[in-house]
Amino acid sequence: MKRILRYFLYFFILLIAVGTVTYFVMDKELPEGKAGPEAEALAEKMLTAINIEAWNAIDFIEWDFPRGHHFLWDRKRDLVEVKWDGHRALINPEAGTGIAYEGEKKADADAQKTLTGKAIHLFWNDSFWLMAFAKVQDPGTTRKIVDLEDGKQGL
């Protein structure tokens, strides 16, 4: 038993050491950027490169995200059906409203706010990862141009 505990302790110490070294090697300051017309032009160039007009023309999109999240998004009416862990919610993410279900029946009043909030959170997070570049000009987003290590510029 002492031998097992000793190995566990060695493993734990090694794990902490590797984590500490990785943190200090990988930790870098965010680059200082400069907002302005150059940053806006680079954002427009990026949106042209991903064919943002085609993305904006899509009326409906359906996708599954890891961890069992399923979405059906009516982009024109801004309505989303979110399914996860036996729950289902019909939400309007912009308005922050919705109706939630547990299984096939409507959730009780206490669970409505929690489940609807969870569905909205899942939608905002998972839709970002679906098409992150399309969100470069979303309200509240700051665009700054930065110099990269390879001599190029980034946004």
Side-chain angles (χ1 to χ4, degrees):
M1 184 68 165
K2 286 184 180 182
R3 179 182 268 175
I4 292 172
L5 288 175
R6 186 178 301 134
Y7 285 130
F8 180 73
L9 181 62
Y10 291 151
F11 175 75
F12 186 69
I13 291 170
L14 179 65
L15 188 63
I16 290 174
V18 168
T20 303
V21 169
T22 301
Y23 172 78
F24 285 110
V25 169
M26 301 298 287
D27 187 42
K28 293 182 181 180
E29 293 288 323
L30 286 175
E32 289 295 320
K34 182 180 176 193
E38 284 183 353
E40 298 303 323
L42 186 55
E44 288 295 330
K45 185 177 176 182
M46 183 178 73
L47 291 173
T48 300
I50 65 167
N51 195 4
I52 193 66
E53 290 179 13
W55 170 253
N56 290 337
I58 295 172
D59 291 337
F60 293 90
I61 187 165
E62 184 173 12
W63 79 99
D64 292 316
F65 201 77
R67 297 175 303 227
H69 305 161
H70 177 81
F71 302 90
L72 175 59
W73 182 11
D74 177 344
R75 296 185 67 221
K76 296 302 177 199
R77 295 188 301 164
D78 199 24
L79 299 173
V80 185
E81 178 185 54
V82 183
K83 295 179 183 177
W84 78 102
D85 296 337
H87 303 292
R88 181 172 72 100
L90 306 171
I91 60 170
N92 179 323
E94 288 293 331
T97 59
I99 300 170
Y101 297 84
E102 294 179 303
E104 293 299 317
K105 66 181 220 181
K106 190 174 178 181
D108 62 40
D110 293 335
Q112 280 294 326
K113 187 173 183 177
T114 302
L115 292 173
T116 301
K118 171 83 173 180
I120 291 169
H121 171 78
L122 290 173
F123 172 74
W124 284 126
N125 182 72
D126 296 357
S127 66
F128 173 83
W129 294 111
L130 175 71
M131 192 62 172
F133 295 116
K135 297 189 167 286
V136 71
Q137 291 181 328
D138 278 3
T141 304
T142 304
R143 289 161 298 285
K144 294 182 180 180
I145 202 156
V146 296
D147 294 321
L148 303 175
E149 292 175 1
D150 62 2
K152 296 180 181 177
Q153 290 187 318
L155 189 62

